[in-house]
Amino acid sequence: MSVRVRIAPSPTGYLHVGTARAALYNWLFARGRNGQFILRSDDTDSERNALEYHTDIIESLRWLGLDWDEGIEIGGPHAPYQQSLRYDRYRDVAMDLLERGLAYYSFASSEQLDEFRKEAQAAGKTPAYDGRFKLAPEEAADRIAAGESAPIRMAVPRPGATTFHDVVRDEVTFDHAQVDDFVILRSDGSPTYHLASTVDDVDFEITHVVRGEDILSSTPKHIVLTKAMGAIPPTYGHLALLMGPDGKKLSKRHGHTALSAYRQAGILPEAMVNYLALLGWSPGDDETIVSLADMIDRFDLDEVTKNPTIFDNDKLEWMNGVYIRKLTVTDFVARVTPLVESHLGRQLDGREAAQLAAIAPQVQERAKRLAEVADQVSFIFGDVVYDETSWEKVMTKDEAAIVLPAALSAVATLEEWTTESIENALRNMLTETELSARKGLQPIRVAISGSTVSPPLFESIEVLGRDEAVSRLESAIARVGSQ
RNA sequence: GCCCCCAUCGUCUAGUGGCCUAGGACUCCGCCCUUUCAAGGCGGCAACAGGGAUUCGAAUUCCCUUGGGGGCACCA
């Protein structure tokens, strides 16, 4: 039987990086086994669903390069792959279970349940509802017939236990004393996550359910349900959760949890996928940089680490830098142009595009995120804006007053306007003024770029063009003279 | 409180009884390169949670303790 795996996000939030990692592992497993990867939408929470999230999930997965063989957007033999469109099916299953005595209408009030749970906890037991308030089937049927509404609960076999083999954790056992008679169909007739998800896994012939550890303890419920449906449970695998720097479950207070936020920050999909893969899996051989294609060959589910992993932004950015440097200059420019334009709030004209292309190699080798590139090159477009700290640091020194006019005259009359000619002229100037490059060039840098930190100076001057460079030197001289 | 899961440098990990005076990567520190900042090169700091047991021999097997995480809804 060929492998069929799925990722089933619910559109109640942006695609979470943890979900993205689970998607990646599922995808790698499917691709490595010649199986199918399915994208399902677990949208049974009508209160919190939003189209915006639905779209974000699809776009984020595509951005990562994880394509699916069946699912929302593309359809497939089991369509629709959206739970909100399959309510009839879930109800049928629930009714069938009810008729076979495997589930029942529950009239236990929430007060009763609360009290039961409180007492159980006080007695040192798990507060899992054991069905003790269950009515005789006839009585329950009468009350429903009389127009009362009630949720349907699964009658979990008691006493009993569920043991299963988890691909990442080996054997796991839960005593049914820990599993409550869970609701499968709400009193309004809508399915709960447990029902919808399990029915879909059965119907879609899912062979491996690989998901977060947060639902490890719900797995017995899914197995009980699956068996009640007369199906063979899939193989389960529970991935350890992603943590924030404080060791707690990764959440918004740690920074970004939405994959799209990283995309916006200028993280490359290649880097993201590589980093995510290494969060809980190692290709061995002391390797760190691994392509998606390479991972397919080397990945296996049972090699996945069991321990919770802390999301390390520093390492992600380092890795992103590695991938940025691997880009061809053309590709780099193509990826960075939209960011520069949005930073500027306008389109680049032809001349500016050429300027960007010219300076690109200089910034490419020092960037960690694409978004920061926009900031680094912005001095080229529009007027100089002096960073006051930078100004304070170098323009108030004596060298500034000497070097700036010297640089202006060295550069203003150059016959050739190339990086080399500019560098020669300025180095001669340094010799004449007897200043070190360190001291003598910084004022020029600030005059040209507005900051002590900029792309390499000679290239920057060249890209800026003679007129602009001259005018910036003049402006700086004027300001220095007036202080 | 109860149940489940987990436990190697600060972080991600390699390691499946001797190859380990524990390897790699990020971070941090130092040096080199250098027009700033980076990048790059070289080097350094840094870990088997604790206690028992098994064994000729344990990071590797077992038990306990401790610590961390997750779950305990008509949310997913």
Side-chain angles (χ1 to χ4, degrees), chain A residues 250-258 262:
Chain A
L250 190 64
S251 69
K252 294 196 185 72
R253 65 196 165 79
H254 294 119
H256 300 308
T257 56
Y262 291 90

Side-chain angles (χ1 to χ4, degrees), chain A residues 78 108 133 181 208 267 289 315 327 378 472:
Chain A
H78 299 282
F133 305 123
D181 276 11
H208 300 256
I267 298 294
I289 303 297
K315 191 161 183 175
L327 257 27
S378 65
R472 288 186 185 193

Side-chain angles (χ1 to χ4, degrees), chain A residues 168-189:
Chain A
V168 344
R169 290 161 205 283
D170 299 324
E171 203 171 277
V172 184
T173 299
F174 285 89
D175 192 291
H176 287 182
Q178 312 303 330
V179 183
D180 59 346
D181 276 11
F182 56 103
V183 172
I184 55 176
L185 205 68
R186 301 189 188 104
S187 46
D188 67 359

